[in-house]
Amino acid sequence: MFSEIKSDSYSQFFTEWMVDLPLLSEAEQARLEQVRQNYLYQISDGSLLEETVKMVMLSPLLELAGFYQAPYRFKTEVSVEIEAQGDSEEILRGRIDALVLQAKLWIVLIESKKTTFDLELAIPQTLVYMAIHPKPEQPLYGMIANGSSYLFVKTLGKQYGISDLFATRSQYRNNLFEVLRIIMYLGRIITES
């Protein structure tokens, strides 16, 4: 299926998450600060279910990125169940849901009942979604999120690359600023191609 880009050529394969990112207005930054505070308040009682993550985190990001307006269109994909063995011999269950934007940007949300799944668990499923695209010669992008963390993926041909991890709970800065800047930039790329 796909092979990950090796470190020597990685820096030139997936630069879209690092360069030419749009600046955010003060209003956008203030809104993202409120989104972050809302998340930290809601998660203080424990894990969040998928619908809460969608309402508190994903929906504001997509709205701020302009993805609810023309020319963007969403298509939902089938949910996928995932299981992982927990520390106490129990099986943890979760779901992966995907929204496809303009058939070129996959927004993948993972959710669990008792704990937050590591985003690494969603990378293979995201690559499967992206592999069935009818034009693999086009660069395709994905964002994997669980509310607490965000990761970006790019595929081109049979290769893929992954961004750094962006955490909502960063002590030193609001990483949602970078997440929004990246999805705004990717939105621009997919509408121009």
Side-chain angles (χ1 to χ4, degrees), residues 157-175:
K158 297 288 184 189
Q159 297 182 312
Y160 75 96
I162 298 173
S163 73
D164 283 350
L165 185 70
F166 297 91
T168 303
R169 195 179 284 279
S170 174
Q171 297 296 318
Y172 304 105
R173 64 182 183 170
N174 187 339
N175 280 325

Side-chain angles (χ1 to χ4, degrees), residues 14 16-18 21-22 24 28-29 32 35-36 57-67 105 107-108 119 142-152 163-170 173-187:
F14 189 18
E16 293 87 342
W17 67 276
M18 296 183 278
L21 298 176
L24 300 180
E28 290 167 329
Q29 290 178 29
L32 288 172
V35 168
R36 182 176 179 272
M57 299 300 292
L58 190 56
S59 187
L61 281 170
L62 298 178
E63 181 180 1
L64 285 167
F67 288 169
L105 174 61
I107 299 171
V108 178
L119 296 184
M143 179 181 81
I144 304 170
N146 62 9
S148 66
S149 301
Y150 299 82
L151 189 67
F152 293 90
S163 73
D164 283 350
L165 185 70
F166 297 91
T168 303
R169 195 179 284 279
S170 174
R173 64 182 183 170
N174 187 339
N175 280 325
L176 293 178
F177 293 178
E178 295 306 308
V179 171
L180 178 59
R181 293 175 67 206
I182 293 166
I183 61 175
M184 289 170 77
Y185 183 72
L186 295 178

Side-chain angles (χ1 to χ4, degrees), residues 33-138:
E33 201 53 56
Q34 184 61 57
V35 168
R36 182 176 179 272
Q37 291 306 314
N38 292 347
Y39 170 79
L40 294 174
Y41 173 73
Q42 293 297 327
I43 196 75
S44 66
D45 282 341
S47 63
L48 297 179
L49 296 179
E50 174 186 12
E51 291 307 315
T52 306
V53 171
K54 283 181 184 177
M55 288 175 13
V56 172
M57 299 300 292
L58 190 56
S59 187
L61 281 170
L62 298 178
E63 181 180 1
L64 285 167
F67 288 169
Y68 294 145
Q69 304 164 19
Y72 301 105
R73 295 278 186 201
F74 281 105
K75 176 180 140 189
T76 57
E77 293 292 310
V78 177
S79 293
V80 175
E81 295 288 328
I82 55 175
E83 292 184 0
Q85 193 72 34
D87 293 336
S88 62
E89 299 295 322
E90 68 178 318
I91 295 178
L92 307 172
R93 290 181 173 79
R95 292 176 34 178
I96 298 176
D97 293 324
L99 297 171
V100 181
L101 186 67
Q102 300 296 100
K104 296 178 185 175
L105 174 61
W106 278 254
I107 299 171
V108 178
L109 179 65
I110 63 173
E111 170 266 336
S112 69
K113 301 298 182 221
K114 292 201 170 203
T115 187
T116 304
F117 275 105
D118 186 339
L119 296 184
E120 295 287 329
L121 293 172
I123 292 172
Q125 187 63 41
T126 303
L127 292 172
V128 168
Y129 287 146
M130 297 169 84
I132 61 172
H133 193 274
K135 296 182 181 178
E137 70 282 355
Q138 287 183 337

